[in-house]
Amino acid sequence: MRAQSDSGSAASADASPAVPAPAGVRPKVSSRGRTAAPAANSNSDEWDIPEFELFGAVGPRGLPPLTEFLDILDVDMMKKRDGTNKILHHTALYHSDNLIVRRGQEFQFNITFNRPYNPSKDKFAVELVIGANPQYSKNTYVPVFPTEDRQSSWPGRVIRTSDNVLTMGVMPAANCIVGKYQMYVAVGTPYGIRRTKRDKSRYIYVLFNPWEAADAVFLNDEVEREECVMAETGIIYHGSYDDIAERHWNYGQFNYGVLDACLYIMDRSEMPIINRGDPIKVARKASAMLDSRDDNGVLVGNWSGDYTYGVAPTAWTGSTEILLTYASSKTPVCYAQCWVYAAVFNTFLRCLGIPSRIVTNYYSAHDNDGNLKSDIILDENGRIDRKRTRDSIWNYHCWNECFMSRPDLPPGFGGWQVVDATPQENSDGLYRCGPASVHAIKHGEICFPFDAAFVFAEVNSDMVFYSRRKDGSMEPVKVNRTHIGRLVLTKDPGGLSRRDITDQYKFPEGSAEERTVLEKAETYNCKSEKSDLPPGDVDLVVSHTEVSLGDDFELNLKFANRSSRRRTVEAYVSGSVIYYTGLISSEFLFTTPSVEIGPDGSANESVTVDSKQYMKLLVEQSNLHFIVTGKVTETGQIVSAMKVVRLRNPKLTVKVTGPGTVSEEMIATVEFTNPLTISLEDVSIRMEGAGLMLPKSKYYRLIAGGSSLTWSEFFTPQRAGTSGMIATLDCPALRQVHGEVTLTIRA
């Protein structure tokens, strides 16, 4: 044993010392000695195929003249925006100089030879290549043949010939890799194969195809397809469930450079090329890559209120600037919160052809204990203990749904799937979420991949109030089973209204089906609160009128006594400025009214809220949170109620003037009046419109209280149809100010 120890010590002394990699740097290791060639994980890698591929050795006299054999003079990709290919493939809106098609659907192109094509003696094929080290077995090298007796996974055919011009049709396989392909035309001769030169103008982008039944993303609803694939603008819902607010967003999935930026995101993640035809893998990888925390992805999340080194999340108007900045700088873009993550993710999915939409869940649970309970701790008198209350309930949370089949799950669990790029919890070691089947979430099948249990808790948790005794023990005193997941919304397809999809996530509260689902979830170790507390006889409702930023207002407390005896409530009213994530920034109001209620009667208590109390403490989105708790003296019953008050911000006025015709110059004007008595400093305004204007911005050092500004920009509409101009104003003292105008452009 000693000899081994000595020998080991000597060996370790002679060995080179271990050198750790620099912090935050992933060491690059080659595939040498492990694989014959490095794994193909970048669509931007190009593979040079020789223009002439020789059969055997060349004789001493070299190659004979090849003039008697077919030669390629030109290839017309038929890629005009108003051409047949792009119209039939629903890709005419993409601002790209290349042909963009969808898989499972034929596209056409013209080949001009040096003489008419003779199928009895001429042999040619079309070759499509994606990534480095293309291989036939991995479908990264795809030959396409024009004759019926020899076909590959991509069927090909000669549609027609006219003199020296041949029109060929090619149908990408409905499950092929999605991305950018190089295309060559190759002619066979007895001496070898000669090809066209590599030419970037012949690159072909192949996308998912929700119009094709054989594609995994097939969506058999034309109205939904138009909304969830083709719509360039949308509405994101925020605010609170009883005071819903809207903001418009320009997804810009067809803007120049956005498609390449989406492919770069997959390249940056080092996602193997061979996995990029599977929408499940693409969506899951993207849910990690849209955030920067693990892999230097697209967006840096920031909820602090300090956006000195970037753009405030509330200031963005669309996804284009974010994606193009990331693709050009190769560094994460600052900053984002949940709706920005969801909006950029929506652009990514729609751009690649995966149907998607943004969903807002009101009162979304973020539980730190991994169960179905959001815990609120009270002291023995019924006052909330903020130091010990750790679980947070977001006023709202935005995520995405994407539509796809799920062959990895039992039948019936395809369709809409939840994916979420906002970094909340680790999933298999990375911050990501989904895809999780919405149908599985509704029916409590939370063991199904991916992250169904987490989403289930976001919409189904109970809010449990615990009374903490002086000895540290805790007793549940009230359970609210309806507060979490109160309302789930998305935009109604084809219009500007909202659609309530709560019933797609959960059965009606209190129904037999809901109880069955919760029991099933518990079999997967997802525990809910079992306490069956006796019903109290005192109810509490909190209400208020609509409140604008800077207003004084009254908070109304209505106590109802359903017993035949007098009741006294010792109440605690706490008012706090909160982030939309439910976390408290600062408490600005605390009062302790004592309320007496007669038998079978009611009593009203009014709390005055002075704007001077909250204005200097506001954080972005201007949310005030009031929680009223108390104990009934006679029975010990705990009463509680919560209310989120959304302070309504001023609006921007957006106007457009001009002829309203394609290619004719127009003017967009933004108008704003500062309604506050204080001056606004470091003000930035952004404006953009789908098919109208790329993102533009303007900076104002100061806008005095009560003063107005007007900013005008020229723009030239690029295409006909209905679109919108969206604008935002942002500064440290005033956020979430936006406006929009809809306009119709004539051809």
Side-chain angles (χ1 to χ4, degrees), residues 103 175-176 208 271 274-283:
R103 62 187 194 175
N175 63 347
C176 74
F208 292 101
M271 182 181 188
I274 59 173
N275 291 341
R276 299 188 189 184
D278 185 343
I280 301 171
K281 294 178 179 178
V282 169

Side-chain angles (χ1 to χ4, degrees), residues 495-543:
L496 297 177
S497 59
R498 50 185 179 252
R499 176 192 287 184
D500 183 349
I501 58 171
T502 311
D503 62 348
Q504 295 183 23
Y505 281 84
K506 55 203 297 190
F507 288 101
E509 300 284 356
S511 65
E513 295 90 345
E514 185 209 23
R515 288 193 296 272
T516 301
V517 166
L518 292 174
E519 290 170 2
K520 184 187 296 184
E522 289 199 3
T523 64
Y524 300 118
N525 203 32
C526 214
K527 302 299 182 183
S528 60
E529 179 56 49
K530 287 297 188 181
S531 301
D532 189 12
L533 302 175
D537 53 25
V538 176
D539 298 324
L540 169 61
V541 176
V542 180
S543 63

